[in-house]
Amino acid sequence: MKTKLSALQTWVDQVASHTLPDAIHWCDGSDAEYQQMIDKMLDDGTLSKLNQHTYPNCYLHRSDPTDVARVEHRTFVCTGEKDDAGPNNNWMNPADGHAKVDALFAGTMKGRTMYVIPYCMGPIDSPFSRCGVEITDSPYVLINMKLMTRMGKKALQRIEKEESFVKGLHSTGDLSPDRRLIMHFPEELLIKSIGSGYGGNALLGKKCHALRIASFQARREGWLAEHMLIVGLESPTGETHYVACAFPSACGKTNLAMLIPPDSLPGWKVWTLGDDIAWLHLGDDGQLRAINPESGYFGVVPGTNEKTNKNAADMIKRDTIFTNVATTADNEPWWEGKTDGEPAIDWQGRPYDPANGKAAHPNSRFTVAAHNNASYSSLADAPEGVPISAIVFGGRRKELAPLVYEARSWEHGVLVGAGVASETTAANVGEVGIVRRDPMAMKPFCGYNFADYWTHWLSFADKSEHLPKIFHVNWFRQTPDGKFLWPGFGENLRVLEWIIDRCENRVGANETPIGYLPNPDDINTTDLDISADALAALTSIDRDQWRTEMESVGEYLDSYGDRLPKALKHQQERVTADLT
Ligand code: SAT
Ligand code: MN
């Protein structure tokens, strides 16, 4: 008996008798265990050492070349009723789902060790945290889970006390793309994932638990599990506001979470609480409070440099697992957008040849513990979380969406979130650069019907009078010839400054049918090289384009049928009417 919790022991025994591992290892989460796993992977070649002088404790993992991103088309939510999963999810009935995936798990761990990883999403002593146990046959998953979650002994103790946990079963199987399945059984608080070792498919604490299963749990329990970064913005006067921002995968959440204020905004400090996921609970005082369930970052490597994200560039110089980057002749990691060195070996281990495409995979990733980040906020470990002043939605849009606007009310803000659209990125297998609806940046991650999810969001309006204001931003507006209108990165703080001033009622705004836009003069452009025309374009709307957009949002909402909350449709109709 490795645990006194019989439900856990029984599940582990059942999995073992079905998957037939050679050995079972219960993870204690110690540094010694991490090092032991690294050594084992170095021995069997699944990990290699990077230059230990310039990149101490950094390692490279090359995945199977067909296993480099999430696979939304192979990801399912299995609820008893199809409508509970909704049009936003692939659905299978639970009996079929189990049968299909269990057949793939039969005997899959023969010749392998099965690792049992108890983990806690969120500070170990927070009432907002929730626990899980991942069973996996992948040492790569284990070392990533060690960096990304609070795992091991303490998590097991909490699980034994609470007697409840999310079950996650994972095997890399044979890595064949057509035998890859990422299955969620929210009613059973259960995940079964096979055939992939890639982050979002395999580190089950992340998207599978902390978003898909947690969003389902959150609805039942009255909170929100969201695809949001959490950042603290300390102004020159010493006041700190916390903001939670939802952008689709690979749209710069990590960069924003670690933003370094430009020299022209002296006195500002930015504190990182999280770069990907926020769990939001109403506190006793009616404030929405956020915790980051994770304790590490699994970030996109390409594009990371001193200019785009200095904190990230610095923190991944040590103690980091790189996946699918290139290497230089000196065995340093290399990626597109790195400002020094040049690639010698590409992400697949071949001598670099531009004819084979990029040197690093566009979705190559770093995994690193959060406390490696110089802007890490110690409040990321606070059990009570941080109070959120503003919720910010955003997407990658060449056209249409202005730099920033504020919703008129919570209910209107829910419409703004529901209408989020963005160009697709390399974080999922499939075509890149197509605009698709991605409500609240949760399209791939909401574990239940979006219509019910919007109803749940709307229900908060009656629960508190101190809810955050809701905004929408777009850093990605372009001129017709493809030039970015806004410099982005550190300069985005100028937009956040306006957002905070709005929260504190310190600045006026231009009221439009889509919400409140900044007067161009109210965006701080000190030392910024931006033309008056560009600023005007960024702070205005094209009514015709917006009417078309709102009609399209209306059609999208209608596709949710009878379950769509009337209050949301009403918001869409009101904005559309105001535009005509
Ligand atoms: O691939 S992950 O799901 O881990 C990261 C992301 O897509 O946001
Ligand atoms: Mn993400």
Side-chain angles (χ1 to χ4, degrees):
M1 288 279 284
K2 292 288 189 177
T3 171
K4 55 185 186 211
L5 185 60
S6 61
L8 174 55
Q9 186 68 53
T10 307
W11 176 56
V12 170
D13 292 345
Q14 279 168 353
V15 168
S17 61
H18 185 57
T19 59
L20 305 175
D22 281 9
I24 302 178
H25 173 106
W26 286 70
C27 300
D28 62 15
S30 63
D31 294 344
E33 178 180 75
Y34 179 78
Q35 199 50 52
Q36 196 191 331
M37 285 303 128
I38 299 272
D39 292 343
K40 174 184 151 65
M41 293 178 71
L42 290 171
D43 273 354
D44 69 20
T46 46
L47 210 59
S48 64
K49 267 187 189 160
L50 290 163
N51 187 322
Q52 295 295 300
H53 297 291
T54 47
Y55 285 82
N57 294 318
C58 290
Y59 302 95
L60 168 66
H61 172 72
R62 289 197 189 99
S63 77
D64 185 281
T66 64
D67 184 30
V68 292
R70 283 182 292 100
V71 282
E72 289 170 20
H73 63 296
R74 311 282 306 168
T75 301
F76 289 81
V77 169
C78 306
T79 44
E81 295 292 326
K82 184 172 185 194
D83 277 351
D84 288 342
N88 45 305
N89 281 300
N90 299 316
W91 176 84
M92 227 184 266
N93 84 50
D96 291 348
H98 282 300
K100 216 168 171 153
V101 74
D102 288 352
L104 297 172
F105 270 105
T108 191
M109 295 193 191
K110 264 185 211 155
R112 304 178 187 176
T113 297
M114 180 172 114
Y115 301 97
V116 181
I117 311 174
Y119 62 85
C120 177
M121 299 311 287
I124 201 92
D125 50 354
S126 170
F128 302 149
S129 301
R130 296 288 181 274
C131 292
V133 177
E134 173 162 2
I135 297 180
T136 179
D137 55 11
S138 162
Y140 171 79
V141 165
L142 201 179
I143 58 174
N144 276 271
M145 287 291 282
K146 160 84 173 159
L147 298 175
M148 297 298 298
T149 70
R150 289 133 173 122
M151 66 89 135
K153 252 193 203 134
K154 282 200 176 139
L156 181 60
Q157 280 163 4
R158 178 166 169 160
I159 290 167
E160 288 173 339
K161 206 163 110 221
E162 289 184 339
E163 300 191 358
S164 94
F165 61 97
V166 170
K167 295 181 184 135
L169 172 56
H170 169 258
S171 167
T172 47
D174 63 6
L175 288 176
S176 130
D178 56 357
R179 277 190 291 279
R180 186 172 291 162
L181 280 174
I182 324 296
M183 310 292 270
H184 303 74
F185 304 89
E187 289 144 350
E188 301 169 59
L189 302 184
L190 173 64
I191 306 152
K192 293 181 178 176
S193 162
I194 189 158
S196 168
Y198 170 76
N201 303 328
L203 313 178
L204 300 186
K206 197 173 182 54
K207 300 300 167 56
C208 299
H209 176 164
L211 288 177
R212 296 195 192 95
I213 299 289
S215 60
F216 185 94
Q217 260 182 322
R219 178 181 173 224
R220 260 196 330 219
E221 299 173 5
W223 50 282
L224 294 164
E226 299 299 327
H227 193 204
M228 292 176 178
L229 68 93
I230 312 163
V231 75
L233 305 164
E234 186 181 330
S235 77
T237 61
E239 51 171 19
T240 303
H241 288 84
Y242 297 93
V243 172
C245 310
F247 307 141
S249 299
C251 284
K253 284 205 301 298
T254 306
N255 292 343
L256 185 59
M258 297 175 192
L259 180 151
I260 297 201
D263 292 342
S264 46
L265 296 180
W268 282 87
K269 290 195 188 112
V270 174
W271 301 106
T272 315
L273 287 106
D275 78 328
D276 196 36
I277 300 176
W279 285 358
L280 305 169
H281 285 75
L282 272 182
D284 296 337
D285 55 0
Q287 293 241 22
L288 202 58
R289 305 192 72 89
I291 62 161
N292 171 14
E294 300 188 288
S295 65
Y297 312 117
F298 182 67
V300 178
V301 186
T304 305
N305 61 46
E306 311 292 308
K307 200 166 154 263
T308 58
N309 189 340
K310 181 171 186 322
N311 283 325
D314 288 347
M315 82 180 169
I316 62 177
K317 285 195 174 121
R318 60 195 165 92
D319 316 319
T320 300
I321 300 166
F322 289 90
T323 302
N324 293 336
V325 295
T327 49
T328 66
D330 292 336
N331 200 27
E332 292 186 349
W334 192 92
W335 52 87
E336 277 71 16
K338 193 161 195 267
T339 44
D340 59 340
E342 45 187 74
I345 307 288
D346 77 5
W347 66 277
Q348 298 191 57
R350 304 171 299 195
Y352 173 61
D353 178 352
N356 289 330
K358 307 249 191 223
H361 189 276
N363 195 36
S364 51
R365 295 270 169 169
F366 58 75
T367 319
V368 64
H371 51 68
N372 256 34
N373 170 13
S375 66
Y376 180 68
S377 165
S378 58
L379 287 180
D381 292 306
E384 68 280 10
V386 292
I388 295 297
S389 301
I391 287 177
V392 182
F393 294 115
R396 186 184 280 273
R397 305 242 17 204
K398 287 190 185 81
E399 302 182 331
L400 187 84
L403 182 59
V404 57
Y405 63 100
E406 177 193 329
R408 293 155 177 269
S409 62
W410 180 265
E411 288 88 343
H412 178 218
V414 176
L415 174 72
V416 170
V420 166
S422 190
E423 294 158 31
T424 51
T425 69
N428 177 48
V429 168
E431 204 173 343
V432 167
I434 313 278
V435 176
R436 73 163 184 184
R437 294 267 160 232
D438 192 351
M440 278 80 170
M442 283 286 279
K443 166 71 188 71
F445 308 121
C446 182
Y448 62 104
N449 191 322
F450 258 149
D452 300 337
Y453 170 80
W454 295 320
T455 303
H456 181 48
W457 261 82
L458 289 165
S459 75
F460 280 75
D462 299 329
K463 291 188 192 144
S464 168
E465 292 182 350
H466 307 288
L467 292 173
K469 287 194 178 210
I470 299 181
F471 297 82
H472 185 281
V473 298
N474 177 22
W475 316 134
F476 301 97
R477 267 290 280 280
Q478 293 182 17
T479 57
D481 56 348
K483 293 204 185 72
F484 285 104
L485 278 173
W486 178 252
F489 302 108
E491 309 298 348
N492 292 336
L493 182 56
R494 299 168 190 273
V495 176
L496 297 170
E497 195 182 359
W498 183 80
I499 287 175
I500 290 168
D501 284 345
R502 287 296 296 169
C503 292
E504 293 292 337
N505 299 313
R506 291 195 287 236
V507 68
N510 173 19
E511 189 170 354
T512 78
I514 70 161
Y516 301 103
L517 269 71
N519 295 306
D521 289 351
D522 289 334
I523 298 283
N524 178 350
T525 53
T526 312
D527 292 344
L528 196 64
D529 183 18
I530 188 165
S531 71
D533 283 355
L535 198 59
L538 286 165
T539 54
S540 58
I541 58 165
D542 177 322
R543 283 187 170 240
D544 289 339
Q545 272 189 358
W546 266 99
R547 201 171 325 109
T548 310
E549 172 73 1
M550 288 316 297
E551 280 159 9
S552 143
V553 169
E555 275 166 33
Y556 177 69
L557 295 180
D558 289 344
S559 71
Y560 286 83
D562 289 348
R563 282 168 96 122
L564 182 76
K566 302 261 177 315
L568 190 62
K569 185 68 184 165
H570 172 76
Q571 290 291 332
Q572 179 267 336
E573 285 165 352
R574 190 190 50 74
V575 178
T576 313
D578 286 356
L579 283 160
T580 31

